[in-house]
């Protein structure tokens, strides 16, 4: 298949690119290499792809999905079978400080992707939604049937808006659209703004780590390999059940944040100094995915335990930042 991956130099995008290339697909990667976090990390991920054995089937374009003319040109010059939109302004807390960047990238940019797919006849659009759409949902674990109309952050609101936009395009133009609600992805080459990365950095420096809601947090930590494998299954499995779908993708296991920190401390070989703090604005106390629908349709079966995943992340972190 000829596949476009936006956000290809990102955490999930780079891992997915490598996986799809290893399967014999042709991948066009797009990224704007913005400075939301360390650009050198994004460049290193891109270099990892370009140095792979299947690099001849990969091309990288430096462009922004917000640029309507660039997106129009991209879709006119290519015939993509599948588009995977992972490009977005990420981060819950950053959306409180810089809402404009979320409007631009997550709404305007996503509209440009939808238009490109519509006019070029793309067979299937797979796009990143987020577990944040569930807000402070009372049901547990979270299922796709739960109501998601009470977001507690602008980031979550833009992701819910993506689902609604995709639904309208699917209904109006017969486009096949699958949204994937990612749950707390972590692992090697991860994002520096996320908790595992920030914890590791502070712990290795002997600094205190901030732990919100006094540590009473539950997260469905999902290892990167399981995530990219799940996305691959959706891409290769094609459209099932209906042209429009939204599916959870996580490990499906609730993990106490303090247990995650203990595992990280063990595998880094350092003591964690904890600074207990109250809940932050825009955050939620617990997340956990019901992944039964993704398993039923595509055979999704995450295999990396949290302890194994933390061990791999810690080893990579110490090696990369040595």
């Amino acid at each position: 298949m000829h596949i476009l991956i936006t956000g290809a130099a990102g955490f999930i995008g780079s891992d997915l690119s490598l996986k799809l290339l290893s399967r014999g697909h042709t991948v066009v990667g797009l990224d704007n290499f913005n400075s939301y976090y360390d650009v050198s990390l994004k460049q290193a991920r891109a270099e990892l792809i370009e140095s792979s054995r299947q690099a001849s089937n990969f091309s990288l374009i430096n462009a922004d999905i917000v640029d309507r003319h660039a997106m129009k040109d991209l879709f006119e010059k290519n015939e993509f079978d599948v588009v995977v939109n992972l490009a977005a302004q990420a981060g819950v807390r950053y959306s409180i400080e810089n809402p404009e960047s979320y409007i631009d990238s997550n709404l305007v940019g996503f509209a440009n992707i939808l238009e490109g797919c519509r006019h070029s006849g793309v067979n299937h659009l797979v796009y990143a939604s987020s577990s944040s759409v569930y807000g402070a949902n009372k049901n547990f674990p979270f299922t796709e049937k739960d109501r998601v109309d009470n977001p507690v952050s602008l980031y979550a609101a833009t992701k819910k808006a993506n689902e609604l936009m995709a639904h309208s395009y699917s209904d109006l133009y017969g486009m096949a659209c699958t949204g994937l609600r990612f749950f707390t992805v972590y692992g090697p080459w991860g994002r520096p703004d996320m908790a595992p990365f920030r914890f590791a950095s502070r712990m290795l420096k002997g600094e205190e780590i901030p732990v919100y809601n006094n540590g009473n947090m539950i997260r469905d930590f999902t290892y990167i390999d399981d995530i990219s494998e799940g996305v691959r299954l959706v891409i290769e499995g094609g459209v099932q059940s209906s042209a429009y779908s939204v599916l959870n993708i996580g490990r499906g296991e609730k993990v106490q944040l303090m247990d995650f920190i203990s595992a990280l401390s063990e595998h880094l070989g350092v003591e964690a100094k904890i600074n207990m703090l109250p809940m932050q604005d825009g955050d939620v106390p617990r997340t956990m995915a019901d992944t039964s629908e993704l398993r039923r349709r595509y055979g999704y079966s995450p295999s990396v335990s949290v302890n194994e995943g933390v061990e791999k992340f810690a080893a990579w972190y110490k090696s990369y930042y040595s």
Side-chain angles (χ1 to χ4, degrees), residues 124 144-145 170 174-179 233-234 237-247 292-299:
H124 192 189
E144 296 90 346
K145 295 179 181 179
S170 180
M175 281 175 51
C177 301
T178 301
L233 289 169
V234 172
V239 181
Q240 298 185 20
S241 297
S242 63
Y244 173 81
S245 293
V246 176
L247 299 167
S292 57
E293 191 63 19
L294 186 61
R295 185 183 312 114
R296 183 184 70 81
R297 295 192 196 183
Y298 295 99

Side-chain angles (χ1 to χ4, degrees), residues 4-282:
L4 170 66
I5 298 178
T6 70
F11 177 28
I12 300 173
S14 58
D15 198 73
L16 178 63
S17 295
L18 287 167
K19 185 176 290 289
L20 293 175
L21 287 168
S22 71
R23 300 276 297 180
H25 299 294
T26 299
V27 175
V28 174
L30 182 144
D31 208 288
N32 69 352
F33 292 89
N34 70 26
S35 58
Y36 170 63
Y37 62 81
D38 185 9
V39 176
S40 67
L41 182 60
K42 300 178 184 182
Q43 292 169 336
R45 295 188 192 119
E47 290 168 4
L48 192 67
I49 303 169
E50 292 172 331
S51 64
S52 68
R53 287 186 297 174
Q54 298 83 19
S56 60
N57 290 331
F58 178 77
S59 57
L60 180 63
I61 298 170
N62 191 331
D64 195 324
I65 62 171
V66 178
D67 186 337
R68 183 173 299 168
H69 297 294
M71 291 302 97
K72 187 172 184 290
D73 185 60
L74 173 67
F75 280 96
E76 287 178 348
K77 291 181 177 178
N78 293 273
E79 293 183 4
F80 299 117
D81 299 303
V82 177
V83 171
V84 184
N85 184 55
L86 301 174
Q89 178 58 63
V92 170
R93 281 170 287 281
Y94 189 69
S95 68
I96 298 172
E97 304 166 13
N98 294 276
E100 296 90 348
S101 62
Y102 290 78
I103 300 300
D104 291 342
S105 183
N106 299 8
L107 299 182
V108 176
F110 188 62
N112 290 339
I113 294 295
L114 288 168
E115 278 291 279
C117 292
R118 173 168 82 98
H119 289 293
S120 62
V122 169
N123 295 330
H124 192 189
L125 169 63
V126 181
Y127 64 94
S129 185
S130 168
S131 62
S132 65
V133 301
Y134 289 106
N137 188 37
K138 302 299 182 184
N139 297 326
F140 200 70
F142 301 160
T143 76
E144 296 90 346
K145 295 179 181 179
D146 293 335
R147 294 189 64 168
V148 289
D149 49 9
N150 292 291
V152 296
S153 70
L154 180 63
Y155 171 72
T158 62
K159 288 300 184 179
K160 175 56 182 175
N162 287 172
E163 295 178 2
L164 294 172
M165 293 162 72
H167 185 278
S168 66
Y169 268 71
S170 180
D171 188 58
L172 288 169
Y173 308 116
M175 281 175 51
C177 301
T178 301
L180 297 174
R181 292 172 175 168
F182 293 113
F183 280 71
T184 317
V185 189
Y186 76 100
W189 300 99
R191 283 191 1 232
D193 64 312
M194 294 192 70
F197 224 98
R198 292 187 289 108
F199 289 165
S201 175
R202 287 176 176 267
M203 288 163 66
L204 288 170
K205 294 175 183 176
E207 299 174 355
E208 287 186 340
I209 59 174
V211 177
Y212 296 96
N213 200 32
N214 296 306
N216 297 315
M217 306 282 270
I218 292 173
R219 288 293 181 269
D220 191 344
F221 288 100
T222 313
Y223 191 66
I224 180 61
D225 286 1
D226 286 331
I227 287 290
S228 58
E229 175 62 10
V231 180
R232 179 197 69 79
L233 289 169
V234 172
I235 291 169
E236 294 183 351
V239 181
Q240 298 185 20
S241 297
S242 63
Y244 173 81
S245 293
V246 176
L247 299 167
N248 288 337
I249 180 166
R251 177 161 172 77
E253 178 184 331
K254 62 179 181 180
V255 177
Q256 295 284 345
L257 179 60
M258 296 307 298
D259 291 340
F260 186 92
I261 293 171
S262 294
L264 185 58
S265 174
E266 176 187 346
H267 293 301
L268 287 174
V270 294
E271 179 184 357
K273 299 176 182 178
I274 307 297
N275 180 21
M276 293 294 187
L277 296 168
M279 181 70 88
Q280 292 186 107
D281 290 340

